[in-house]
Amino acid sequence: MHWWNDGGRKLTRFTTITLEDVIHLLGLSVNGDPVIGRTDSSHQFLVENCIACFGREPGPQDHVLGKVNLAWVRRCRDTEPCDTHESIERYIRAHIFCVFGTVVFPDKSTTSLNSKFLPLLRNFHWIPAYSWGQPVWHIYTDRCVMHHYTIGKRWMGHSYYFLFERGSVCHS
């Protein structure tokens, strides 16, 4: 949005996202346990959490230095039969983990996801009990300061975050 002053000089007005916007637009809770990730890049940590969340152990080519290959997580999700309650939960965990690594908490890597968020997904029924809005808002506002509103427009377009509170969406 641009405004012009009386001297013909272009002034820019920036809009920012508030925590209340995150609550309403994305449906993320700001009440509950804090979202904190254990920083552990050990092979044992990664394997234990992948087995607990996805029911599978990643192969040697599917992880490196505490990060899980995005293609492997997507294969886990896409090959899940979704014929039992447990398999539906594994599917949803894999999808949420993909969203974490690519949209909510992305880093410079475009091919791997940080395993530090896996423990937060282990107990399926605790996922909506965490306070997701605050860390998402914090990361978003940090990026907006650096990149103005361009990333914000693209980032806000990912409105399927309702999955965090309404996991049953993936039953179809």
Side-chain angles (χ1 to χ4, degrees):
M1 183 177 292
H2 299 284
W3 297 93
W4 302 87
N5 67 8
D6 290 336
R9 188 169 165 213
K10 183 178 174 183
L11 301 174
T12 303
R13 189 180 107 188
F14 292 98
T15 307
T16 189
I17 297 298
T18 66
L19 186 54
E20 186 177 20
D21 294 329
V22 171
I23 294 166
H24 292 293
L25 294 173
L26 305 180
L28 296 173
S29 174
V30 293
N31 298 316
D33 295 330
V35 172
I36 52 174
R38 181 175 147 200
T39 305
D40 186 344
S41 60
S42 74
H43 176 74
Q44 181 180 355
F45 174 84
L46 185 138
V47 169
E48 286 176 4
N49 282 289
C50 283
I51 291 171
C53 288
F54 313 129
R56 303 173 194 188
E57 181 176 343
Q61 72 282 3
D62 298 322
H63 65 88
V64 64
L65 299 174
K67 293 190 173 220
V68 184
N69 185 298
L70 175 61
W72 180 80
V73 177
R74 286 181 174 156
R75 274 194 311 275
C76 288
R77 179 194 64 194
D78 296 343
T79 59
E80 193 62 53
C82 293
D83 57 354
T84 66
H85 186 73
E86 291 80 20
S87 69
I88 291 169
E89 288 182 1
R90 284 192 299 269
Y91 175 92
I92 294 170
R93 277 190 205 102
H95 184 73
I96 291 173
F97 188 56
C98 287
V99 172
F100 278 173
T102 59
V103 180
V104 180
F105 304 110
D107 59 15
K108 292 179 182 180
S109 172
T110 58
T111 60
S112 60
L113 309 171
N114 195 319
S115 64
K116 72 180 179 180
F117 298 108
L118 285 173
L120 299 171
L121 302 176
R122 285 181 76 151
N123 187 327
F124 187 78
H125 300 287
W126 286 356
I127 295 171
Y130 289 108
S131 175
W132 298 106
Q134 182 70 29
V136 171
W137 174 76
H138 179 73
I139 287 173
Y140 172 76
T141 55
D142 281 354
R143 291 205 175 124
C144 281
V145 168
M146 292 170 37
H147 301 291
H148 302 297
Y149 61 90
T150 312
I151 286 179
K153 287 180 187 175
R154 184 181 71 219
W155 190 84
M156 292 301 288
H158 299 281
S159 60
Y160 55 89
Y161 285 101
F162 60 86
L163 211 138
F164 289 106
E165 291 188 10
R166 297 174 194 89
S168 61
V169 170
C170 289
H171 288 258
S172 57

